[in-house]
Amino acid sequence: METPKRRYKKWTDDEIRILKAYYGILPYHVIAKMLNRTPIGVLMKAHKLKLKSDYPKGRIPKLLERYIEKYYENQIKRYA
């Protein structure tokens, strides 16, 4: 009997480290783009890891704000 196919790709240790580092600091949809995952996948994995998010209650540090702005500027340029 064959094992059923996964409907999602397995999370790597590096992806989990990134998720733990940025969850609650960056919006989940930004983390999803960074990891090439779906936003729902990021939310589900964060829930399984029992990560808590104060975003948007918490403030984004200035350095990260600049990073996010540059990221979106580059994305807009890429598709323009």
Side-chain angles (χ1 to χ4, degrees):
M1 186 172 181
E2 289 184 38
T3 57
K5 239 183 173 181
R6 283 182 189 258
R7 294 183 353 185
Y8 59 92
K9 65 181 184 179
K10 189 175 178 184
W11 283 77
T12 65
D13 291 338
D14 288 338
E15 289 175 322
I16 292 171
R17 270 189 233 112
I18 291 169
L19 178 60
K20 286 180 177 180
Y22 290 112
Y23 191 76
I25 297 171
L26 295 176
Y28 66 91
H29 59 87
V30 173
I31 297 170
K33 285 184 180 184
M34 287 170 57
L35 299 176
N36 196 25
R37 296 266 181 183
T38 63
I40 296 298
V42 169
L43 288 174
M44 289 179 65
K45 188 63 175 180
H47 178 74
K48 285 181 184 178
L49 295 172
K50 297 183 174 153
L51 300 178
K52 301 291 181 199
S53 174
D54 289 333
Y55 187 86
K57 294 178 206 168
R59 289 189 179 190
I60 299 175
K62 294 274 187 207
L63 179 64
L64 288 176
E65 267 184 18
R66 282 188 236 129
Y67 170 78
I68 293 169
E69 287 172 9
K70 281 186 179 182
Y71 174 81
Y72 281 115
E73 284 174 10
N74 289 336
Q75 291 299 318
I76 291 168
K77 287 177 188 173
R78 182 182 298 170
Y79 295 109

